[in-house]
């Protein structure tokens, strides 16, 4: 066992592994793995800083400023990745109806992290456990249709047990 924390870099075989703390009520790290010139970022249990801080403290402008700085830091960390595996647990309405502060993202916010960081391939995971497979497929098809309609150049996938990708 070796302790791992933000700022520490470890080499495992031909992989370089880095981490950054993300926004969740419990201590949670995102992992960046680089090997053979390719980078994958695994980002789970993260709630957008601005939404959480603003919803809980809307009158405190310094929270919004800090949230902007933290978001920019996260985007810098993700930038340059070939693949972003990120959680997108909630729809916007689910998030605002009882899940602010839980430490999880909306589908749209997760995709936006990938777009802001210029990542060409985003894989959404941590699907809401109350959804059926058919509901997940419907949400996925709606998101693909939106990306196409808006002419957004992004490869989007939903993680599924047993699936794999070649980077």
């Amino acid at each position: 066992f070796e302790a791992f924390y933000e700022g520490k870099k470890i080499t495992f075989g031909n992989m370089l592994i880095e981490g950054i703390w993300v926004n969740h009520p419990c201590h949670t790290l995102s992992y960046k793995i680089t090997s053979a010139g390719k980078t994958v970022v695994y980002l789970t249990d993260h709630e957008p800083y601005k939404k959480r801080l603003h919803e809980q403290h809307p009158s405190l402008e310094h929270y919004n400023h800090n949230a902007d700085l933290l978001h920019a830091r996260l985007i810098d960390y993700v930038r340059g990745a070939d693949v972003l595996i990120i959680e997108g647990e909630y729809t916007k309405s689910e998030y605002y109806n009882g899940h602010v502060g839980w430490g999880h993202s909306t589908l749209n916010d997760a995709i936006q992290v990938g777009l802001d960081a210029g990542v060409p391939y985003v894989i959404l995971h941590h699907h809401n456990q109350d959804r059926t497979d058919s509901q997940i497929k419907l949400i996925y098809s709606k998101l693909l249709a939106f990306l196409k309609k808006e002419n957004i150049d992004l490869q989007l996938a939903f993680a599924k047990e047993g699936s794999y990708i070649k980077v």
Side-chain angles (χ1 to χ4, degrees):
F1 174 78
E2 183 177 341
F4 188 67
Y5 44 85
E6 183 174 330
K8 184 172 186 172
K9 295 180 182 184
I10 60 172
T11 301
F12 184 78
N14 66 351
M15 296 181 290
L16 174 64
I17 304 167
E18 306 170 66
I20 189 173
W21 295 114
V22 294
N23 193 24
H24 192 267
C26 300
H27 295 290
T28 305
L29 277 171
S30 168
Y31 298 97
K32 180 191 285 189
I33 303 166
T34 302
S35 179
K38 299 290 185 177
T39 301
V40 174
V41 173
Y42 179 77
L43 203 164
T44 192
D45 294 345
H46 173 72
E47 183 169 2
Y49 295 101
K50 190 154 195 161
K51 284 190 171 182
R52 181 173 181 188
L53 294 172
H54 179 73
E55 289 298 317
Q56 293 174 345
H57 309 282
S59 64
L60 301 177
E61 188 57 37
H62 69 277
Y63 275 102
N64 289 324
H65 176 68
N66 288 341
D68 289 340
L69 294 175
L70 289 166
H71 180 72
R73 182 174 170 266
L74 178 72
I75 296 305
D76 286 344
Y77 170 80
V78 174
R79 188 173 282 115
D82 298 282
V83 177
L84 171 62
I85 303 169
I86 185 168
E87 72 127 308
E89 182 164 357
Y90 302 120
T91 63
K92 185 177 178 180
S93 64
E94 289 168 341
Y95 177 78
Y96 284 110
N97 287 302
H99 296 101
V100 173
W102 286 33
H104 301 285
S105 295
T106 68
L107 297 149
N108 297 62
D109 288 330
I111 291 169
Q112 193 62 53
V113 169
L115 292 171
D116 289 350
V119 178
Y121 191 6
V122 172
I123 301 172
L124 296 174
H125 75 102
H126 200 308
H127 309 296
N128 187 316
Q129 64 273 11
D130 293 331
R131 284 203 184 92
T132 65
D133 287 349
S134 59
Q135 289 171 322
I136 290 171
K137 287 176 186 174
L138 178 62
I139 290 169
Y140 177 61
S141 65
K142 286 181 178 182
L143 287 171
L144 287 179
F146 173 79
L147 292 173
K148 184 176 182 177
K149 177 182 169 238
E150 296 298 318
N151 200 27
I152 297 172
D153 186 21
L154 177 72
Q155 188 174 355
L156 179 69
F158 272 28
K160 137 177 138 170
E161 188 175 345
S163 61
Y164 65 93
I165 60 167
K166 183 174 181 173
V167 181

